[in-house]
Amino acid sequence: MSKTTPPRGVSRRSVLAAAAALPLVTIWSKPARAAEFNYKLATGQSLDQPINARLKQATDRIREASSGRLDIRFFPASQLGSDTDLLTQVRTGGVEFLNIAGSVLSTVVPLAAITNVGFTYSDYQQVWSSVDGELGKLIRAQIEKSGMVSVAKAADNSFRQISSSSKPIKTPADLQGYRIRVPVSPMFTSLFKALGANPTSINFNELYTALQTKLVDGQENGLVAIDAGKLYEVQKYISQTNHIWDPFWLLGNRRAFNNLPDDLKAIVRREFDRASVEQRGDVEQLNATLKDQLVKKGIVFDTANRDAFRKALADAGFYKEWKDKFGAAPWAALESAVGKMA
């Protein structure tokens, strides 16, 4: 379990109510004085995800703490495009800030995929010691080389579980020939190919339709995303695999961020760090209740044999392949948190 303490007074109801209150088209009143900097923050996450509520709170605090000098307009839930569109926009300056899953970020920052190595993390203690420690520093350095900058601690995009419309997934044999949706990420594709499945990369905002039309048989996501995206309406089984942990990275366009005076940079980092830490607590709290909620909505839960999956990956050469791709230093940083992998 995570050592992060959920923020006082936060409940599942209050978190989701705050997120649901976010408008699909954000309308802003004119600030008391014209802002020196007018920036945009975009996310691809559905409205009910706690990350959106926390980031909206952070933009409000930034406006207040800067006395209106920095006005960050917030566009959640793919209002400005899909995850891959938004990643292009933050690199080119179309948006100044973007919250993005590490799995998607890895398409332009390959080292970001190291937190997605299959069946690696066993608990949140390992997760946070990793991304808040040496491995996180190495990833942030690569983000800067890509023309972006990490402006906050990593938030929690959850441990991921496999869902299915037709059968539970308990062992690697259940994935043979299985059509599974994965994010646009080489790591996810590699993982499920090594397990004998047929992975298909689809953006999250297109996932519900892909499941509904049987383009794919199943998908994999954290319980928060499964619930927020109403995927329980088009899926029957969830196998608790914890096969991948994925972070959220809050990115800034490097030029736009560097244009801010030092005092505004400090405000941005402080408030976005706070949002990330509070969101970690929200996700932990929600995960504690979501299983029961999803069962009431018709989902059948099963526990997967993690040892069998990990052995299958080792036998397929998955760990050796990715150790060679990432290099000795990042792999050593990962193993310092999780133990020997390959």
Side-chain angles (χ1 to χ4, degrees):
M1 296 294 292
S2 168
K3 292 186 176 180
T4 303
T5 301
R8 293 181 62 187
V10 173
S11 66
R12 171 179 166 76
R13 180 178 297 175
S14 63
V15 168
L16 297 187
L22 294 171
L24 284 174
V25 178
T26 310
I27 300 174
W28 298 92
S29 59
K30 201 169 184 178
R33 66 176 188 178
E36 294 176 39
F37 300 91
N38 290 284
Y39 284 0
K40 294 188 289 292
L41 164 60
T43 81
Q45 289 74 56
S46 55
L47 281 176
D48 284 349
Q49 290 208 43
I51 190 65
N52 283 316
R54 291 304 186 181
L55 290 177
K56 177 60 170 67
Q57 291 168 0
T59 60
D60 291 342
R61 292 194 303 264
I62 289 167
R63 189 178 304 107
E64 181 179 358
S66 69
S67 300
R69 294 166 59 203
L70 174 56
D71 184 33
I72 303 177
R73 293 193 296 162
F74 185 46
F75 298 90
S78 301
Q79 290 181 41
L80 300 184
S82 69
D83 283 341
T84 47
D85 294 332
L86 292 173
L87 196 51
T88 299
Q89 290 181 51
V90 77
R91 296 182 77 194
T92 59
V95 299
E96 287 78 18
F97 297 107
L98 169 65
N99 188 73
I100 194 80
S103 51
V104 182
L105 174 61
S106 69
T107 60
V108 295
V109 182
L111 185 59
I114 197 168
T115 60
N116 300 149
V117 173
F119 296 91
T120 298
Y121 295 108
S122 61
D123 55 37
Y124 275 116
Q125 182 175 353
Q126 290 183 349
V127 164
W128 302 132
S129 67
S130 172
V131 296
D132 290 342
E134 183 60 28
L135 185 61
K137 291 179 184 177
L138 293 173
I139 295 171
R140 288 182 177 89
Q142 292 302 309
I143 289 172
E144 292 210 21
K145 290 183 179 180
S146 72
M148 300 177 287
V149 59
S150 170
V151 296
K153 292 178 179 289
D156 188 6
N157 195 19
S158 299
F159 280 100
R160 301 173 80 94
Q161 322 298 342
I162 299 175
S163 75
S164 169
S165 62
S166 59
K167 64 179 182 179
I169 306 296
K170 297 181 179 180
T171 69
D174 296 321
L175 284 176
Q176 298 306 304
Y178 191 74
R179 297 176 303 165
I180 186 167
R181 175 269 178 182
V182 296
V184 182
S185 164
M187 173 64 78
F188 282 66
T189 300
S190 172
L191 170 64
F192 283 98
K193 280 186 176 179
L195 292 171
N198 292 327
T200 300
S201 295
I202 301 172
N203 280 310
F204 187 83
N205 61 334
E206 301 168 343
L207 175 54
Y208 186 100
T209 300
L211 293 168
Q212 187 178 46
T213 60
K214 307 297 185 183
L215 177 63
V216 289
D217 301 310
Q219 62 86 53
E220 50 76 60
N221 258 298
L223 295 185
V224 172
I226 290 171
D227 184 61
K230 301 186 185 300
L231 303 186
Y232 52 82
E233 295 179 350
V234 287
Q235 297 282 269
K236 177 65 176 176
Y237 302 95
I238 293 178
S239 297
Q240 295 182 275
T241 51
N242 283 354
H243 57 279
I244 279 176
W245 178 79
D246 200 25
F248 282 131
W249 292 103
L250 189 56
L251 308 176
N253 175 274
R254 187 170 60 190
R255 179 177 298 177
F257 186 72
N258 287 341
N259 282 341
L260 295 175
D262 288 344
D263 63 327
L264 293 187
K265 288 180 187 174
I267 290 171
V268 166
R269 289 191 180 277
R270 182 189 73 212
E271 298 304 336
F272 282 148
D273 269 350
R274 175 180 167 184
S276 293
V277 171
E278 289 176 343
Q279 185 265 1
R280 293 177 183 184
D282 295 341
V283 171
E284 181 180 3
Q285 190 175 53
L286 289 179
N287 278 333
T289 62
L290 274 175
K291 182 176 179 180
D292 288 341
Q293 295 295 322
L294 288 168
V295 167
K296 290 177 182 178
K297 292 172 180 176
I299 290 292
V300 176
F301 278 83
D302 289 283
T303 300
N305 185 335
R306 280 177 52 88
D307 290 340
F309 281 101
R310 189 162 179 173
K311 182 179 185 302
L313 290 175
D315 290 346
F318 173 82
Y319 295 119
K320 182 181 186 306
E321 174 189 353
W322 284 98
K323 177 180 180 180
D324 292 343
K325 286 182 178 179
F326 289 131
W331 198 263
L334 175 64
E335 289 189 329
S336 70
V338 305
K340 191 72 173 174
M341 292 292 299

